[in-house]
Amino acid sequence: MEALTLTEDQYRDAISLWEATGLTLPWNDPTADLLRAINGESSTVLGCTMHGDLVATAMVGHDGHRGWVYYLAVAPQKQGHGLGRLMMEACEQWLIERGAVKVHLMIRTTNEAVIGFYDGLGYELSDVQVRAKWLNGDGEAS
Ligand SMILES: CC(C)(COP(=O)(O)OP(=O)(O)OC[C@H]1O[C@@H](n2cnc3c(N)ncnc32)[C@H](O)[C@@H]1OP(=O)(O)O)[C@@H](O)C(=O)NCCC(=O)NCCS
């Protein structure tokens, strides 16, 4: 099994997967997020298929200093079989090939269930606060 850049015919399935795994939020437009990452020069969205069905995704990018991973998702019925690890390893490899030396990710405080998963993959808690500010004035998805 291999993680490859999503093809256009998989975009809708990727968004369905993000919805099914609770990754979409009212203030994020997943289609805009996906297209921006896919079309960006330093980002992509990887996917993994089984029998033609998209079963896992991860968005990965490099901001010029660090790598970041977003939208890691494994189809609920396929979880627990190594796909999450495979996707994270594919993201790490993508970043290594572009010269990144460190990768970051954010976990929502409401998503405690995944902390053990990232612990097992060697992702340590960083001694930083993540702060955010909307740049479109009113906090609405762009
Ligand atoms: C988090 C997620 C991607 C994990 O995918 P997965 O395919 O189930 O994980 P894997 O089967 O690859 O698990 C890899 C290892 O982590 C362990 N693991 C998986 N989920 C775990 C959890 N919640 N707590 C502790 N360990 C966990 C597995 O037992 C496995 O250990 P092993 O390699 O020693 O056997 C998946 O649960 C998911 O899509 N969750 C919903 C979306 C989400 O929350 N994404 C992350 C946003 S930050």
Side-chain angles (χ1 to χ4, degrees):
M1 226 170 325
E2 201 182 354
L4 299 169
T5 301
L6 286 191
T7 52
E8 204 167 341
D9 58 310
Q10 294 176 316
Y11 294 175
R12 192 175 291 272
D13 289 341
I15 289 160
S16 297
L17 182 53
W18 297 349
E19 288 167 349
T21 51
L23 295 184
T24 53
L25 290 169
W27 53 88
N28 280 351
D29 176 348
T31 306
D33 288 352
L34 188 152
L35 292 176
R36 201 182 301 112
I38 281 273
N39 294 323
E41 284 182 13
S42 53
S43 57
T44 194
V45 185
L46 301 176
C48 189
T49 54
M50 278 175 84
H51 311 298
D53 294 329
L54 186 72
V55 289
T57 64
M59 181 183 289
V60 58
H62 190 294
D63 64 14
H65 180 53
R66 299 298 190 208
W68 285 88
V69 175
Y70 299 93
Y71 286 109
L72 173 70
V74 174
Q77 67 278 18
K78 301 292 180 196
Q79 291 178 8
H81 298 287
L83 282 168
R85 178 189 289 276
L86 180 143
M87 295 309 296
M88 287 304 295
E89 288 175 353
C91 289
E92 291 168 14
Q93 189 56 38
W94 190 95
L95 289 165
I96 288 166
E97 287 167 9
R98 286 156 184 81
V101 296
K102 195 174 182 191
V103 54
H104 292 240
L105 54 86
M106 291 183 272
I107 302 173
R108 291 181 199 146
T109 50
T110 50
N111 196 6
E112 281 184 16
V114 297
I115 290 174
F117 166 77
Y118 288 117
D119 277 343
L121 268 57
Y123 283 74
E124 297 172 337
L125 185 63
S126 286
D127 189 18
V128 295
Q129 275 189 35
V130 176
R131 297 207 176 200
K133 177 181 176 182
W134 293 102
L135 299 176
N136 59 352
D138 54 8
E140 289 187 5
S142 56

